[in-house]
Amino acid sequence: MTLACMALVGPSAPNGAHIAKPLPAGAPTEAVLNRVMTWNICNPCNASGHNVGRAAEIATYAPQVIGLQEACVRDVDMIRDHLENLYGLVYHVEYGSVLDSWDRCGGLPWSPGGFGQAILSAAPMTDRVSAEYPDGGSEDRGYMAVTTTVGGRSVRVFNTHLAQRRQEEVRAEQTGVLAAEVARYDRAIVLGDFNAVPYAPELTKMWTLAADTDPHCRPAATGTCEPTTDWQSKFDYVFLRGIASSGHGVHPTPYSDHNLLQSDLDPS
């Protein structure tokens, strides 16, 4: 009888996967065309029931483009399904997995789940590139890129996750690889967890190419950069090249030790 019930309700029912969390009054009912977001969704990783909450957090702001880091393919698929089935928000998805991880992402020992980056976009995406950095540091790291439309204009969108803290030299090499690719485009959005504060030397090459969505956040220790992590550091960025920001928001969440960073773009 137990097995029969499990077959009927599916593995996600115990996690409340079909129960929509209420959104704040005035939440968008469709994707906001000039809005992008970045979010490292791990820690806790592989937490039971969190994907419903993560979908609700995203739906509250309904960005047109979302860059997720430390993302299991299985989790992203569930978040995407919840966004559509519970909130009517339909997204395309592309993956930039850099390793297979059974302990983080589940699956079978001989077929573990993919782990890395993902981009969700309300508009179709083309020309996907997924690359690992030559040196990932203590764990494989990489970036992905797609071409899509944001606010009706074509743009190259990058999503990355740099090496963990205390690996400054590795991050500097990674930023050099990423910056060389970003420099090829006049209009680009770079989303990600850079694991470095704004004045860290390893971010210099990014600052020469693009500005952060926060107009008060610049590569100086005296800047007033709003923190994006539970430990009160700014590690998460929406770098804009050839595009201006019209506003941004940092939104604390119980579903990760990183906050959601939202950027609204100037449509001109």
Side-chain angles (χ1 to χ4, degrees):
M1 179 63 71
T2 300
L3 292 174
C5 290
M6 289 178 65
L8 288 171
V9 301
S12 60
N15 293 339
H18 301 294
I19 301 173
K21 291 183 177 294
L23 303 183
T29 57
E30 57 186 20
V32 180
L33 296 184
N34 290 301
R35 179 171 293 171
V36 299
M37 175 184 288
T38 185
W39 190 15
N40 182 321
I41 62 173
C42 196
N43 287 328
C45 302
N46 225 355
S48 176
H50 272 39
N51 289 326
V52 176
R54 289 166 175 160
E57 297 280 81
I58 293 170
T60 297
Y61 308 101
Q64 185 174 6
V65 173
I66 307 149
L68 300 177
Q69 303 89 41
E70 290 203 80
C72 296
V73 169
R74 181 182 65 174
D75 288 335
V76 176
D77 285 344
M78 292 176 68
I79 291 168
R80 181 190 180 204
D81 288 346
H82 295 329
L83 285 166
E84 180 173 1
N85 298 331
L86 302 181
Y87 302 107
L89 299 171
V90 179
Y91 288 95
H92 305 268
V93 64
E94 293 287 355
Y95 292 99
S97 298
V98 293
L99 56 88
D100 295 327
S101 181
W102 177 80
D103 58 333
R104 289 181 180 176
C105 299
L108 300 171
W110 56 88
S111 183
F115 181 78
Q117 288 74 243
I119 294 177
L120 287 79
S121 173
M125 294 176 278
T126 61
D127 303 320
R128 181 190 73 94
V129 169
S130 179
E132 292 189 33
Y133 292 118
D135 183 358
S138 57
E139 179 180 86
D140 292 346
R141 295 289 164 92
Y143 72 89
M144 63 178 299
V146 300
T147 297
T148 187
T149 55
V150 177
R153 298 187 64 184
S154 178
V155 64
R156 192 66 170 168
V157 178
F158 294 82
N159 183 19
T160 192
H161 185 199
L162 300 191
Q164 295 172 346
R165 289 177 286 180
R166 297 180 296 277
Q167 299 181 77
E168 292 84 355
E169 293 182 0
V170 174
R171 286 197 299 274
E173 293 177 2
Q174 294 172 346
T175 306
V177 172
L178 178 64
E181 290 300 312
V182 174
R184 297 172 55 206
Y185 299 89
D186 294 330
R187 285 173 48 84
I189 300 169
V190 186
L191 311 170
D193 173 4
F194 284 73
N195 267 317
V197 294
Y199 53 86
E202 60 263 35
L203 296 190
T204 299
K205 290 182 179 179
M206 282 306 307
W207 286 115
T208 61
L209 290 173
D212 185 58
T213 183
D214 182 351
H216 301 291
C217 186
R218 292 295 179 263
T222 57
T224 55
C225 303
E226 191 170 359
T228 63
T229 65
D230 286 355
W231 53 94
Q232 298 302 303
S233 293
K234 178 175 171 68
F235 278 6
D236 305 274
Y237 298 82
V238 177
F239 282 113
L240 302 174
R241 176 172 168 83
I243 304 169
S245 171
S246 63
H248 76 284
V250 177
H251 308 292
T253 169
Y255 302 105
S256 173
D257 58 359
H258 287 253
N259 301 330
L260 291 80
L261 175 58
Q262 159 214 328
S263 175
D264 291 341
L265 310 181
D266 188 331
S268 61

